[in-house]
Amino acid sequence: MGAEPQYDVVVIGAGFGGLYAVHRFGEQGLDVLGLEQADDVGGVWYWNRYPGARCDCESYYYSYAFDDGLQQDWNWSLRYSEQPEILSYLKHVADRFDLRRRYRFGARVAAAHFDESLGGWRLRTTDGFETTTRSLVTAMGCLSQVNWPDIPGLRDFQGRLFHTAQWPHDPVDFRGRRVGVIGTGASAVQAIPRIAEQAEHLTVFQRTANWVLPAWNRPTDPDFDAWVKANYAEIRARCLASGGAVPFDPPEQSALEVSDAAREAAYQAFWDQGGMRFFSAFTDLFSDERANRTAQDFVRAHILRTVRDPATAQRLIPNDHPIGVKRPPLDDDYYETFNRPNVTLVDVRSAPIREVAGHVLRTADAAYDLDDLVVATGFDAITGALLAIDVRGRGGVRLADRWAEGPKSYLGLGIAGFPNLFTVTGPLSPSVLANMPTAVEQHVDWIADCLEHMRTRGVATVEATETAEAAWVAESDAAVAHTLYPKADGSWYFGANIPGKPRRFGVYVGGFAAYRERCLEVAQRGYEGFRLGAGPNG
Ligand code: NAP
């Protein structure tokens, strides 16, 4: 008999997904190792410490459901928690379930090669650590591989240079500084109002305007909190039964079948509630352009009412994509910030950024002298973290080659030719279009059951078949083709924000509840669509 892998399962990542995976697999008696590149737990909440960083899902459901003691004991101070509190929560989870002892921190995985004679994976980290494992579970987040734009001279900027997703651990003081922010995505929309409060002057370099919705963040209401704690079972069940893994009532009416006054009243009511609930107003906001236009009209009117300078207001109104089909940021006074005398909005679509030289950022038609430059240009999303590793499957096939035309996966969980590799919230799963903690728990539970199936049945390898994978890719592509998502040119959902990246919509849009049912059915049918390989004694 050949050598046995050192671990039953290695988990990469110590964010929401990785921590739960390490806990769950450990509880079922598997020998599990966690590898994390940071020096502590937290995942995206470890890295994204920029001012205003906050979750755009409400904390009572953007939290773990797996342990009732945890959800009863933990108290959220805000409706939408800020980064320090979410990081404290994840540290508490690590302490409470004693998870750090299973981790190696400061361990960035450089290579993961499937070894056929071992029936498992050989791993190497950038600091030279090597190990082997029967199964490999990646939980590296969909938005973790940082995107630095290719702007000549940027990295040599002579002032202070920051990326929102690699923010320093010590607070940054912007008082008395001339600050530039590149980007107007969700990170920038959160950071801009906070930086504007401090900076002597803030220049926002906007290439594409975004539709921004209000968060109306506020301290947790004690009565609501008590109600949540008494009703957690029902709240979590509603998340599992919904399209976005959120406890909202689904819409029932088309935006086009109600009167103008009723439509306006509905938008206003959802606007006043705040957050992504806005999209629960009508059934067809993601499928019918005319319906979507009514929502755009509502938000456009808000921008025009709020921003005093008409030229700035016009620049802040998106004109290239329907509302919602690029991830809409939630704000804290974002539009109001452009009324401040110390804030300037610069359109770098009409006059693109040419270079950074010394302290100067130069566009096609002007030069801006800056003390600080904040780069808020997002991520190589969905596939970036996985492809940053040299992943090789059967026959030494590189994942990067397998995905040369875009990601292919069966259920977003398994990849043909890459046995015993499981991707938590992987490409072509609901991932970022579902409430993340619920999505990761669903994936980890499914993987845990699959690992148990392997152990009890003497199954050595689990591998998606090419047929099942191709059918899932086709189903996922077809689902998105029926929506308005393809109308957003440049969205990171398609990989279009990264020059040269192949275009495929990386998220399954068929809805979380239906997807979850499908995963359960696959398992119940003996892991239909997966090839189960017998072990040496099987
Ligand atoms: P993003 O949405 O990809 O936004 C990047 C911004 O940088 C865009 O405005 C983009 O303009 C701009 N940009 C990129 N390269 C540029 C260049 N060379 N010149 C000028 N502008 C450039 O990134 P993000 O804001 O970090 O957000 C990414 C995702 O992370 C969000 O959509 C969300 O899912 C998640 N996130 C969540 C939260 C939360 O829940 N609280 C907070 C932050 C982020 P174009 O649009 O023209 O490309």
PDB file of all heavy atoms in Angstrom, residues 45 50 54-56 143 149 151 164 182-188 190 207-208 326-327 348-349 353 376-379 490 492 497, ligand 1:
ATOM      1  N   TRP A  45     -12.644  40.443   6.194  1.00  0.00           N
ATOM      2  CA  TRP A  45     -12.788  41.382   7.308  1.00  0.00           C
ATOM      3  C   TRP A  45     -11.470  41.598   8.029  1.00  0.00           C
ATOM      4  O   TRP A  45     -11.350  42.482   8.877  1.00  0.00           O
ATOM      5  CB  TRP A  45     -13.900  40.918   8.260  1.00  0.00           C
ATOM      6  CG  TRP A  45     -15.190  40.803   7.507  1.00  0.00           C
ATOM      7  CD1 TRP A  45     -15.824  39.656   7.136  1.00  0.00           C
ATOM      8  CD2 TRP A  45     -15.965  41.885   6.968  1.00  0.00           C
ATOM      9  NE1 TRP A  45     -16.945  39.951   6.406  1.00  0.00           N
ATOM     10  CE2 TRP A  45     -17.063  41.317   6.295  1.00  0.00           C
ATOM     11  CE3 TRP A  45     -15.839  43.276   6.991  1.00  0.00           C
ATOM     12  CZ2 TRP A  45     -18.023  42.082   5.643  1.00  0.00           C
ATOM     13  CZ3 TRP A  45     -16.797  44.048   6.346  1.00  0.00           C
ATOM     14  CH2 TRP A  45     -17.874  43.443   5.678  1.00  0.00           C
ATOM     15  N   TYR A  50     -10.576  49.803   5.610  1.00  0.00           N
ATOM     16  CA  TYR A  50     -10.664  51.220   5.221  1.00  0.00           C
ATOM     17  C   TYR A  50     -11.780  51.915   6.017  1.00  0.00           C
ATOM     18  O   TYR A  50     -12.710  51.257   6.519  1.00  0.00           O
ATOM     19  CB  TYR A  50     -10.914  51.327   3.704  1.00  0.00           C
ATOM     20  CG  TYR A  50     -12.151  50.618   3.218  1.00  0.00           C
ATOM     21  CD1 TYR A  50     -13.396  51.233   3.254  1.00  0.00           C
ATOM     22  CD2 TYR A  50     -12.093  49.318   2.732  1.00  0.00           C
ATOM     23  CE1 TYR A  50     -14.538  50.588   2.821  1.00  0.00           C
ATOM     24  CE2 TYR A  50     -13.224  48.654   2.289  1.00  0.00           C
ATOM     25  CZ  TYR A  50     -14.442  49.307   2.342  1.00  0.00           C
ATOM     26  OH  TYR A  50     -15.576  48.645   1.920  1.00  0.00           O
ATOM     27  N   ARG A  54     -17.885  48.177   6.023  1.00  0.00           N
ATOM     28  CA  ARG A  54     -19.076  47.725   6.725  1.00  0.00           C
ATOM     29  C   ARG A  54     -19.757  46.674   5.863  1.00  0.00           C
ATOM     30  O   ARG A  54     -19.522  46.623   4.663  1.00  0.00           O
ATOM     31  CB  ARG A  54     -19.955  48.959   6.853  1.00  0.00           C
ATOM     32  CG  ARG A  54     -21.177  48.846   7.608  1.00  0.00           C
ATOM     33  CD  ARG A  54     -21.987  50.120   7.520  1.00  0.00           C
ATOM     34  NE  ARG A  54     -22.505  50.325   6.184  1.00  0.00           N
ATOM     35  CZ  ARG A  54     -22.774  51.514   5.677  1.00  0.00           C
ATOM     36  NH1 ARG A  54     -22.536  52.597   6.379  1.00  0.00           N
ATOM     37  NH2 ARG A  54     -23.258  51.626   4.466  1.00  0.00           N
ATOM     38  N   CYS A  55     -20.597  45.879   6.477  1.00  0.00           N
ATOM     39  CA  CYS A  55     -21.309  44.877   5.688  1.00  0.00           C
ATOM     40  C   CYS A  55     -22.593  45.470   5.131  1.00  0.00           C
ATOM     41  O   CYS A  55     -23.280  46.216   5.814  1.00  0.00           O
ATOM     42  CB  CYS A  55     -21.634  43.675   6.551  1.00  0.00           C
ATOM     43  SG  CYS A  55     -22.411  42.414   5.562  1.00  0.00           S
ATOM     44  N   ASP A  56     -22.905  45.119   3.893  1.00  0.00           N
ATOM     45  CA  ASP A  56     -24.133  45.608   3.277  1.00  0.00           C
ATOM     46  C   ASP A  56     -25.305  44.649   3.476  1.00  0.00           C
ATOM     47  O   ASP A  56     -26.356  44.804   2.856  1.00  0.00           O
ATOM     48  CB  ASP A  56     -23.912  45.879   1.780  1.00  0.00           C
ATOM     49  CG  ASP A  56     -23.143  47.183   1.554  1.00  0.00           C
ATOM     50  OD1 ASP A  56     -22.998  47.964   2.511  1.00  0.00           O
ATOM     51  OD2 ASP A  56     -22.695  47.417   0.419  1.00  0.00           O
ATOM     52  N   LEU A 143     -14.076  37.669  -3.240  1.00  0.00           N
ATOM     53  CA  LEU A 143     -13.556  39.036  -3.435  1.00  0.00           C
ATOM     54  C   LEU A 143     -12.357  39.206  -2.526  1.00  0.00           C
ATOM     55  O   LEU A 143     -12.431  39.871  -1.489  1.00  0.00           O
ATOM     56  CB  LEU A 143     -14.662  40.047  -3.120  1.00  0.00           C
ATOM     57  CG  LEU A 143     -15.852  39.979  -4.083  1.00  0.00           C
ATOM     58  CD1 LEU A 143     -17.130  40.465  -3.429  1.00  0.00           C
ATOM     59  CD2 LEU A 143     -15.557  40.767  -5.344  1.00  0.00           C
ATOM     60  N   PRO A 149      -4.863  48.604 -10.429  1.00  0.00           N
ATOM     61  CA  PRO A 149      -4.989  48.970 -11.844  1.00  0.00           C
ATOM     62  C   PRO A 149      -3.626  49.244 -12.475  1.00  0.00           C
ATOM     63  O   PRO A 149      -2.678  49.620 -11.777  1.00  0.00           O
ATOM     64  CB  PRO A 149      -5.825  50.255 -11.793  1.00  0.00           C
ATOM     65  CG  PRO A 149      -5.596  50.825 -10.448  1.00  0.00           C
ATOM     66  CD  PRO A 149      -5.306  49.678  -9.523  1.00  0.00           C
ATOM     67  N   ILE A 151      -1.871  51.505 -13.954  1.00  0.00           N
ATOM     68  CA  ILE A 151      -1.695  52.936 -14.227  1.00  0.00           C
ATOM     69  C   ILE A 151      -0.201  53.241 -14.120  1.00  0.00           C
ATOM     70  O   ILE A 151       0.394  52.999 -13.054  1.00  0.00           O
ATOM     71  CB  ILE A 151      -2.496  53.793 -13.210  1.00  0.00           C
ATOM     72  CG1 ILE A 151      -3.990  53.518 -13.357  1.00  0.00           C
ATOM     73  CG2 ILE A 151      -2.175  55.282 -13.383  1.00  0.00           C
ATOM     74  CD1 ILE A 151      -4.845  54.144 -12.251  1.00  0.00           C
ATOM     75  N   THR A 164      -7.913  49.940  -0.703  1.00  0.00           N
ATOM     76  CA  THR A 164      -8.945  49.675   0.309  1.00  0.00           C
ATOM     77  C   THR A 164      -8.874  48.242   0.847  1.00  0.00           C
ATOM     78  O   THR A 164      -9.187  48.009   2.020  1.00  0.00           O
ATOM     79  CB  THR A 164     -10.358  49.931  -0.277  1.00  0.00           C
ATOM     80  OG1 THR A 164     -10.422  49.355  -1.576  1.00  0.00           O
ATOM     81  CG2 THR A 164     -10.665  51.415  -0.340  1.00  0.00           C
ATOM     82  N   ILE A 182      -9.483  56.663  -6.258  1.00  0.00           N
ATOM     83  CA  ILE A 182      -9.755  56.119  -7.593  1.00  0.00           C
ATOM     84  C   ILE A 182     -10.803  55.030  -7.440  1.00  0.00           C
ATOM     85  O   ILE A 182     -10.583  54.043  -6.733  1.00  0.00           O
ATOM     86  CB  ILE A 182      -8.484  55.520  -8.239  1.00  0.00           C
ATOM     87  CG1 ILE A 182      -7.383  56.574  -8.353  1.00  0.00           C
ATOM     88  CG2 ILE A 182      -8.816  54.939  -9.612  1.00  0.00           C
ATOM     89  CD1 ILE A 182      -6.071  56.026  -8.931  1.00  0.00           C
ATOM     90  N   GLY A 183     -11.958  55.203  -8.118  1.00  0.00           N
ATOM     91  CA  GLY A 183     -13.003  54.192  -8.071  1.00  0.00           C
ATOM     92  C   GLY A 183     -14.233  54.693  -7.342  1.00  0.00           C
ATOM     93  O   GLY A 183     -14.134  55.550  -6.441  1.00  0.00           O
ATOM     94  N   THR A 184     -15.377  54.159  -7.754  1.00  0.00           N
ATOM     95  CA  THR A 184     -16.650  54.504  -7.108  1.00  0.00           C
ATOM     96  C   THR A 184     -17.514  53.248  -6.959  1.00  0.00           C
ATOM     97  O   THR A 184     -18.726  53.280  -7.153  1.00  0.00           O
ATOM     98  CB  THR A 184     -17.402  55.594  -7.899  1.00  0.00           C
ATOM     99  OG1 THR A 184     -17.452  55.205  -9.271  1.00  0.00           O
ATOM    100  CG2 THR A 184     -16.743  56.952  -7.768  1.00  0.00           C
ATOM    101  N   GLY A 185     -16.865  52.107  -6.627  1.00  0.00           N
ATOM    102  CA  GLY A 185     -17.596  50.881  -6.322  1.00  0.00           C
ATOM    103  C   GLY A 185     -18.012  50.882  -4.846  1.00  0.00           C
ATOM    104  O   GLY A 185     -17.937  51.908  -4.162  1.00  0.00           O
ATOM    105  N   ALA A 186     -18.415  49.718  -4.355  1.00  0.00           N
ATOM    106  CA  ALA A 186     -18.949  49.628  -2.984  1.00  0.00           C
ATOM    107  C   ALA A 186     -17.920  50.067  -1.940  1.00  0.00           C
ATOM    108  O   ALA A 186     -18.273  50.715  -0.946  1.00  0.00           O
ATOM    109  CB  ALA A 186     -19.401  48.197  -2.701  1.00  0.00           C
ATOM    110  N   SER A 187     -16.640  49.734  -2.158  1.00  0.00           N
ATOM    111  CA  SER A 187     -15.617  50.115  -1.175  1.00  0.00           C
ATOM    112  C   SER A 187     -15.482  51.631  -1.146  1.00  0.00           C
ATOM    113  O   SER A 187     -15.479  52.240  -0.066  1.00  0.00           O
ATOM    114  CB  SER A 187     -14.262  49.483  -1.527  1.00  0.00           C
ATOM    115  OG  SER A 187     -14.369  48.078  -1.568  1.00  0.00           O
ATOM    116  N   ALA A 188     -15.353  52.247  -2.313  1.00  0.00           N
ATOM    117  CA  ALA A 188     -15.182  53.704  -2.379  1.00  0.00           C
ATOM    118  C   ALA A 188     -16.409  54.417  -1.820  1.00  0.00           C
ATOM    119  O   ALA A 188     -16.284  55.412  -1.100  1.00  0.00           O
ATOM    120  CB  ALA A 188     -14.946  54.128  -3.825  1.00  0.00           C
ATOM    121  N   GLN A 190     -18.345  53.547   0.482  1.00  0.00           N
ATOM    122  CA  GLN A 190     -18.302  53.545   1.948  1.00  0.00           C
ATOM    123  C   GLN A 190     -17.214  54.470   2.477  1.00  0.00           C
ATOM    124  O   GLN A 190     -17.383  55.127   3.500  1.00  0.00           O
ATOM    125  CB  GLN A 190     -18.057  52.123   2.467  1.00  0.00           C
ATOM    126  CG  GLN A 190     -19.231  51.198   2.214  1.00  0.00           C
ATOM    127  CD  GLN A 190     -18.996  49.809   2.773  1.00  0.00           C
ATOM    128  OE1 GLN A 190     -17.863  49.385   2.977  1.00  0.00           O
ATOM    129  NE2 GLN A 190     -20.072  49.085   3.006  1.00  0.00           N
ATOM    130  N   ARG A 207     -14.816  56.620 -12.999  1.00  0.00           N
ATOM    131  CA  ARG A 207     -14.899  56.189 -14.407  1.00  0.00           C
ATOM    132  C   ARG A 207     -16.342  55.842 -14.763  1.00  0.00           C
ATOM    133  O   ARG A 207     -16.826  56.198 -15.829  1.00  0.00           O
ATOM    134  CB  ARG A 207     -13.974  54.987 -14.633  1.00  0.00           C
ATOM    135  CG  ARG A 207     -13.773  54.657 -16.090  1.00  0.00           C
ATOM    136  CD  ARG A 207     -12.607  53.723 -16.312  1.00  0.00           C
ATOM    137  NE  ARG A 207     -12.795  52.423 -15.669  1.00  0.00           N
ATOM    138  CZ  ARG A 207     -11.887  51.456 -15.685  1.00  0.00           C
ATOM    139  NH1 ARG A 207     -10.711  51.649 -16.272  1.00  0.00           N
ATOM    140  NH2 ARG A 207     -12.131  50.309 -15.093  1.00  0.00           N
ATOM    141  N   THR A 208     -17.009  55.130 -13.841  1.00  0.00           N
ATOM    142  CA  THR A 208     -18.397  54.733 -14.098  1.00  0.00           C
ATOM    143  C   THR A 208     -19.231  55.035 -12.856  1.00  0.00           C
ATOM    144  O   THR A 208     -18.883  54.592 -11.757  1.00  0.00           O
ATOM    145  CB  THR A 208     -18.487  53.212 -14.379  1.00  0.00           C
ATOM    146  OG1 THR A 208     -17.484  52.861 -15.331  1.00  0.00           O
ATOM    147  CG2 THR A 208     -19.844  52.828 -14.931  1.00  0.00           C
ATOM    148  N   LYS A 326     -25.029  45.609 -11.740  1.00  0.00           N
ATOM    149  CA  LYS A 326     -23.710  45.670 -11.106  1.00  0.00           C
ATOM    150  C   LYS A 326     -24.044  45.756  -9.625  1.00  0.00           C
ATOM    151  O   LYS A 326     -25.063  46.346  -9.257  1.00  0.00           O
ATOM    152  CB  LYS A 326     -22.947  46.917 -11.528  1.00  0.00           C
ATOM    153  CG  LYS A 326     -22.291  46.798 -12.887  1.00  0.00           C
ATOM    154  CD  LYS A 326     -21.673  48.105 -13.288  1.00  0.00           C
ATOM    155  CE  LYS A 326     -20.165  48.073 -13.108  1.00  0.00           C
ATOM    156  NZ  LYS A 326     -19.557  49.306 -13.698  1.00  0.00           N
ATOM    157  N   ARG A 327     -23.208  45.223  -8.774  1.00  0.00           N
ATOM    158  CA  ARG A 327     -23.533  45.190  -7.345  1.00  0.00           C
ATOM    159  C   ARG A 327     -23.731  46.624  -6.841  1.00  0.00           C
ATOM    160  O   ARG A 327     -22.792  47.418  -6.852  1.00  0.00           O
ATOM    161  CB  ARG A 327     -22.406  44.478  -6.622  1.00  0.00           C
ATOM    162  CG  ARG A 327     -22.254  44.747  -5.166  1.00  0.00           C
ATOM    163  CD  ARG A 327     -23.346  44.141  -4.303  1.00  0.00           C
ATOM    164  NE  ARG A 327     -22.826  43.907  -2.965  1.00  0.00           N
ATOM    165  CZ  ARG A 327     -22.637  44.856  -2.056  1.00  0.00           C
ATOM    166  NH1 ARG A 327     -22.949  46.107  -2.325  1.00  0.00           N
ATOM    167  NH2 ARG A 327     -22.129  44.553  -0.875  1.00  0.00           N
ATOM    168  N   VAL A 348     -13.209  60.419 -15.089  1.00  0.00           N
ATOM    169  CA  VAL A 348     -12.052  59.869 -15.808  1.00  0.00           C
ATOM    170  C   VAL A 348     -12.481  58.876 -16.899  1.00  0.00           C
ATOM    171  O   VAL A 348     -11.683  58.089 -17.381  1.00  0.00           O
ATOM    172  CB  VAL A 348     -11.010  59.229 -14.843  1.00  0.00           C
ATOM    173  CG1 VAL A 348     -10.371  60.304 -13.990  1.00  0.00           C
ATOM    174  CG2 VAL A 348     -11.604  58.123 -14.003  1.00  0.00           C
ATOM    175  N   ARG A 349     -13.763  58.953 -17.267  1.00  0.00           N
ATOM    176  CA  ARG A 349     -14.218  58.237 -18.469  1.00  0.00           C
ATOM    177  C   ARG A 349     -13.894  59.118 -19.683  1.00  0.00           C
ATOM    178  O   ARG A 349     -13.278  58.663 -20.642  1.00  0.00           O
ATOM    179  CB  ARG A 349     -15.725  57.965 -18.382  1.00  0.00           C
ATOM    180  CG  ARG A 349     -16.389  57.481 -19.633  1.00  0.00           C
ATOM    181  CD  ARG A 349     -16.109  56.037 -19.944  1.00  0.00           C
ATOM    182  NE  ARG A 349     -16.582  55.131 -18.895  1.00  0.00           N
ATOM    183  CZ  ARG A 349     -16.218  53.858 -18.800  1.00  0.00           C
ATOM    184  NH1 ARG A 349     -15.376  53.348 -19.685  1.00  0.00           N
ATOM    185  NH2 ARG A 349     -16.662  53.107 -17.829  1.00  0.00           N
ATOM    186  N   ILE A 353      -7.278  58.526 -16.697  1.00  0.00           N
ATOM    187  CA  ILE A 353      -6.025  58.673 -15.955  1.00  0.00           C
ATOM    188  C   ILE A 353      -4.893  58.204 -16.870  1.00  0.00           C
ATOM    189  O   ILE A 353      -4.941  57.101 -17.418  1.00  0.00           O
ATOM    190  CB  ILE A 353      -6.062  57.827 -14.661  1.00  0.00           C
ATOM    191  CG1 ILE A 353      -7.198  58.301 -13.755  1.00  0.00           C
ATOM    192  CG2 ILE A 353      -4.720  57.899 -13.946  1.00  0.00           C
ATOM    193  CD1 ILE A 353      -7.435  57.429 -12.535  1.00  0.00           C
ATOM    194  N   ALA A 376      -9.347  52.236  -4.898  1.00  0.00           N
ATOM    195  CA  ALA A 376     -10.525  51.442  -4.503  1.00  0.00           C
ATOM    196  C   ALA A 376     -11.028  50.696  -5.733  1.00  0.00           C
ATOM    197  O   ALA A 376     -12.184  50.814  -6.129  1.00  0.00           O
ATOM    198  CB  ALA A 376     -11.601  52.365  -3.933  1.00  0.00           C
ATOM    199  N   THR A 377     -10.105  49.952  -6.354  1.00  0.00           N
ATOM    200  CA  THR A 377     -10.392  49.354  -7.661  1.00  0.00           C
ATOM    201  C   THR A 377     -10.765  47.879  -7.570  1.00  0.00           C
ATOM    202  O   THR A 377     -10.792  47.190  -8.592  1.00  0.00           O
ATOM    203  CB  THR A 377      -9.188  49.546  -8.597  1.00  0.00           C
ATOM    204  OG1 THR A 377      -8.009  49.100  -7.912  1.00  0.00           O
ATOM    205  CG2 THR A 377      -9.018  51.007  -8.972  1.00  0.00           C
ATOM    206  N   GLY A 378     -11.056  47.395  -6.380  1.00  0.00           N
ATOM    207  CA  GLY A 378     -11.700  46.096  -6.249  1.00  0.00           C
ATOM    208  C   GLY A 378     -10.793  44.893  -6.426  1.00  0.00           C
ATOM    209  O   GLY A 378      -9.615  44.918  -6.059  1.00  0.00           O
ATOM    210  N   PHE A 379     -11.365  43.863  -7.043  1.00  0.00           N
ATOM    211  CA  PHE A 379     -10.777  42.528  -6.964  1.00  0.00           C
ATOM    212  C   PHE A 379     -10.796  41.806  -8.318  1.00  0.00           C
ATOM    213  O   PHE A 379     -11.650  42.081  -9.158  1.00  0.00           O
ATOM    214  CB  PHE A 379     -11.591  41.674  -5.975  1.00  0.00           C
ATOM    215  CG  PHE A 379     -11.700  42.313  -4.623  1.00  0.00           C
ATOM    216  CD1 PHE A 379     -12.740  43.192  -4.326  1.00  0.00           C
ATOM    217  CD2 PHE A 379     -10.737  42.068  -3.648  1.00  0.00           C
ATOM    218  CE1 PHE A 379     -12.828  43.800  -3.086  1.00  0.00           C
ATOM    219  CE2 PHE A 379     -10.822  42.675  -2.404  1.00  0.00           C
ATOM    220  CZ  PHE A 379     -11.866  43.542  -2.119  1.00  0.00           C
ATOM    221  N   GLY A 490     -18.611  45.505 -18.242  1.00  0.00           N
ATOM    222  CA  GLY A 490     -17.554  45.886 -17.295  1.00  0.00           C
ATOM    223  C   GLY A 490     -17.756  45.359 -15.892  1.00  0.00           C
ATOM    224  O   GLY A 490     -16.958  45.645 -15.005  1.00  0.00           O
ATOM    225  N   TRP A 492     -17.689  43.023 -12.609  1.00  0.00           N
ATOM    226  CA  TRP A 492     -16.772  41.968 -12.147  1.00  0.00           C
ATOM    227  C   TRP A 492     -17.475  40.622 -12.090  1.00  0.00           C
ATOM    228  O   TRP A 492     -16.821  39.573 -12.030  1.00  0.00           O
ATOM    229  CB  TRP A 492     -16.104  42.334 -10.825  1.00  0.00           C
ATOM    230  CG  TRP A 492     -16.991  42.642  -9.644  1.00  0.00           C
ATOM    231  CD1 TRP A 492     -17.281  43.864  -9.133  1.00  0.00           C
ATOM    232  CD2 TRP A 492     -17.670  41.700  -8.803  1.00  0.00           C
ATOM    233  NE1 TRP A 492     -18.108  43.755  -8.038  1.00  0.00           N
ATOM    234  CE2 TRP A 492     -18.359  42.443  -7.805  1.00  0.00           C
ATOM    235  CE3 TRP A 492     -17.775  40.306  -8.787  1.00  0.00           C
ATOM    236  CZ2 TRP A 492     -19.140  41.825  -6.819  1.00  0.00           C
ATOM    237  CZ3 TRP A 492     -18.545  39.703  -7.809  1.00  0.00           C
ATOM    238  CH2 TRP A 492     -19.214  40.459  -6.840  1.00  0.00           C
ATOM    239  N   ASN A 497     -13.833  43.343 -15.326  1.00  0.00           N
ATOM    240  CA  ASN A 497     -13.039  44.443 -14.746  1.00  0.00           C
ATOM    241  C   ASN A 497     -11.538  44.177 -14.831  1.00  0.00           C
ATOM    242  O   ASN A 497     -10.748  45.051 -14.501  1.00  0.00           O
ATOM    243  CB  ASN A 497     -13.432  44.676 -13.274  1.00  0.00           C
ATOM    244  CG  ASN A 497     -13.129  43.479 -12.393  1.00  0.00           C
ATOM    245  OD1 ASN A 497     -13.229  42.343 -12.841  1.00  0.00           O
ATOM    246  ND2 ASN A 497     -12.753  43.712 -11.165  1.00  0.00           N
TER     247      ASN A 497
HETATM  248  P1  NAP B   1     -15.479  47.423  -7.670  1.00  0.00           P
HETATM  249  O1  NAP B   1     -16.913  47.328  -7.427  1.00  0.00           O
HETATM  250  O2  NAP B   1     -14.884  46.520  -8.684  1.00  0.00           O
HETATM  251  O3  NAP B   1     -15.179  48.923  -8.008  1.00  0.00           O
HETATM  252  C1  NAP B   1     -13.915  49.303  -8.521  1.00  0.00           C
HETATM  253  C2  NAP B   1     -13.983  50.742  -8.935  1.00  0.00           C
HETATM  254  O4  NAP B   1     -12.695  51.119  -9.416  1.00  0.00           O
HETATM  255  C3  NAP B   1     -14.963  50.983 -10.070  1.00  0.00           C
HETATM  256  O5  NAP B   1     -15.563  52.221  -9.882  1.00  0.00           O
HETATM  257  C4  NAP B   1     -14.046  50.982 -11.290  1.00  0.00           C
HETATM  258  O6  NAP B   1     -14.557  51.693 -12.380  1.00  0.00           O
HETATM  259  C5  NAP B   1     -12.848  51.675 -10.725  1.00  0.00           C
HETATM  260  N1  NAP B   1     -11.628  51.424 -11.493  1.00  0.00           N
HETATM  261  C6  NAP B   1     -10.997  50.252 -11.701  1.00  0.00           C
HETATM  262  N2  NAP B   1      -9.893  50.434 -12.451  1.00  0.00           N
HETATM  263  C7  NAP B   1      -9.844  51.753 -12.736  1.00  0.00           C
HETATM  264  C8  NAP B   1      -8.949  52.559 -13.491  1.00  0.00           C
HETATM  265  N3  NAP B   1      -7.881  52.043 -14.097  1.00  0.00           N
HETATM  266  N4  NAP B   1      -9.209  53.883 -13.587  1.00  0.00           N
HETATM  267  C9  NAP B   1     -10.281  54.415 -12.972  1.00  0.00           C
HETATM  268  N5  NAP B   1     -11.170  53.710 -12.252  1.00  0.00           N
HETATM  269  C10 NAP B   1     -10.945  52.386 -12.134  1.00  0.00           C
HETATM  270  O7  NAP B   1     -14.625  47.182  -6.319  1.00  0.00           O
HETATM  271  P2  NAP B   1     -15.061  47.425  -4.800  1.00  0.00           P
HETATM  272  O8  NAP B   1     -15.676  48.728  -4.623  1.00  0.00           O
HETATM  273  O9  NAP B   1     -13.894  47.074  -3.957  1.00  0.00           O
HETATM  274  O10 NAP B   1     -16.190  46.364  -4.572  1.00  0.00           O
HETATM  275  C11 NAP B   1     -16.090  45.035  -5.057  1.00  0.00           C
HETATM  276  C12 NAP B   1     -17.169  44.200  -4.434  1.00  0.00           C
HETATM  277  O11 NAP B   1     -16.784  43.891  -3.110  1.00  0.00           O
HETATM  278  C13 NAP B   1     -18.502  44.881  -4.299  1.00  0.00           C
HETATM  279  O12 NAP B   1     -19.235  44.904  -5.487  1.00  0.00           O
HETATM  280  C14 NAP B   1     -19.133  44.077  -3.202  1.00  0.00           C
HETATM  281  O13 NAP B   1     -19.686  42.889  -3.676  1.00  0.00           O
HETATM  282  C15 NAP B   1     -17.936  43.787  -2.325  1.00  0.00           C
HETATM  283  N6  NAP B   1     -17.904  44.771  -1.249  1.00  0.00           N
HETATM  284  C16 NAP B   1     -18.832  44.609  -0.280  1.00  0.00           C
HETATM  285  C17 NAP B   1     -18.906  45.498   0.708  1.00  0.00           C
HETATM  286  C18 NAP B   1     -19.939  45.299   1.744  1.00  0.00           C
HETATM  287  O14 NAP B   1     -20.709  44.404   1.800  1.00  0.00           O
HETATM  288  N7  NAP B   1     -20.009  46.187   2.627  1.00  0.00           N
HETATM  289  C19 NAP B   1     -18.050  46.586   0.770  1.00  0.00           C
HETATM  290  C20 NAP B   1     -17.102  46.727  -0.229  1.00  0.00           C
HETATM  291  C21 NAP B   1     -17.045  45.801  -1.244  1.00  0.00           C
HETATM  292  P3  NAP B   1     -15.398  50.915 -13.544  1.00  0.00           P
HETATM  293  O15 NAP B   1     -16.719  50.615 -12.929  1.00  0.00           O
HETATM  294  O16 NAP B   1     -15.420  51.854 -14.650  1.00  0.00           O
HETATM  295  O17 NAP B   1     -14.609  49.652 -13.858  1.00  0.00           O
END
